Amino acid sequence: TWVLGVVILMTILSTLFTVISPRIMGEATNVIYDGFTAMLRGEEGAGIDFAALGRILLILIGLYLISAGFSYIMQYIMAGVAQRIGYDLRRQVNQKLSRLPLRFFDTKTHGEIMSRITNDVDTIASTTQQTIGQAFSSLITFVGVFGMMLSINFWLTIVVMITLPMSSFVTTIIAKQA
């Protein structure tokens, strides 16, 4: 539905601003490094450009705040979806309970039935809220980080993508031996 589309859009925007932020932080590091190395070389008037550093840090703070805002909207929408799912499940369970024969209620205590229904519906609703949002976020974060890695250094990205599966394979072999 359209709600799922909005959740995906909010997740993409939140992740985009989060993934871009380390690149901006790298610019701040470069400003500090350039100023410090210029001071070490003894250049006249050399020093850290705190005005440029301040602008970069303000941009960085803005990016993180925007990312947090989109993440909040996504979580808020997912909470509403989870509440609707919980409401629908409770309504369906209530309809089902009204159709059950009386002998079912003779074999089970009222508290046992209500406890099971309440716990199960609450678990489904909370799991839905957490899992769907987290799954979208994880997938989009992976794609975003991979894209950012490629934009920074293609060859280093290839090395990482080869090394990670190899290290997982070696770790699995060692863990089986232990």
Side-chain angles (χ1 to χ4, degrees):
T1 66
W2 68 272
V3 174
L4 194 59
V6 172
V7 167
I8 291 171
L9 177 65
M10 293 297 119
T11 305
I12 288 171
L13 292 173
S14 173
T15 303
L16 176 70
F17 289 114
T18 301
V19 169
I20 290 173
S21 296
R23 187 141 211 197
I24 304 296
M25 196 178 301
E27 292 177 22
T29 303
N30 289 341
V31 167
I32 294 170
Y33 177 78
D34 292 343
F36 188 71
T37 55
M39 285 184 346
L40 288 178
R41 287 191 303 260
E43 295 178 11
E44 185 144 344
I48 298 171
D49 186 0
F50 286 105
L53 186 61
R55 285 190 299 274
I56 292 170
L57 292 178
L58 283 175
I59 291 169
L60 195 59
I61 289 169
L63 288 175
Y64 280 123
L65 288 175
I66 291 169
S67 174
F70 285 127
S71 181
Y72 175 80
I73 292 169
M74 186 263 301
Q75 290 294 332
Y76 183 81
I77 292 171
M78 283 307 301
V81 168
Q83 290 298 316
R84 281 193 296 280
I85 289 172
Y87 175 78
D88 287 343
L89 284 173
R90 283 185 183 88
R91 187 177 43 76
Q92 291 172 9
V93 166
N94 188 37
Q95 290 172 352
K96 175 68 174 179
L97 286 174
S98 67
R99 289 191 310 265
L100 289 174
L102 270 167
R103 66 183 143 82
F104 174 80
F105 295 101
D106 289 340
T107 60
K108 309 261 189 287
T109 65
H110 183 71
E112 179 185 352
I113 296 169
M114 294 308 293
S115 175
R116 171 141 329 163
I117 291 169
T118 302
N119 288 338
D120 290 352
V121 169
D122 286 345
T123 300
I124 291 170
S126 65
T127 301
T128 301
Q129 178 182 352
Q130 294 169 1
T131 306
I132 291 176
Q134 191 63 39
F136 286 138
S137 181
S138 297
L139 178 66
I140 294 168
T141 299
F142 177 78
V143 171
V145 167
F146 184 71
M148 188 57 68
M149 288 171 60
L150 284 173
S151 75
I152 292 172
N153 190 323
F154 175 79
W155 293 110
L156 189 57
T157 303
I158 298 301
V159 168
V160 167
M161 297 312 285
I162 291 171
T163 306
L164 281 176
M166 286 175 37
S167 66
S168 296
F169 178 71
V170 169
T171 302
T172 304
I173 291 172
I174 293 171
K176 286 181 181 178
Q177 299 293 324

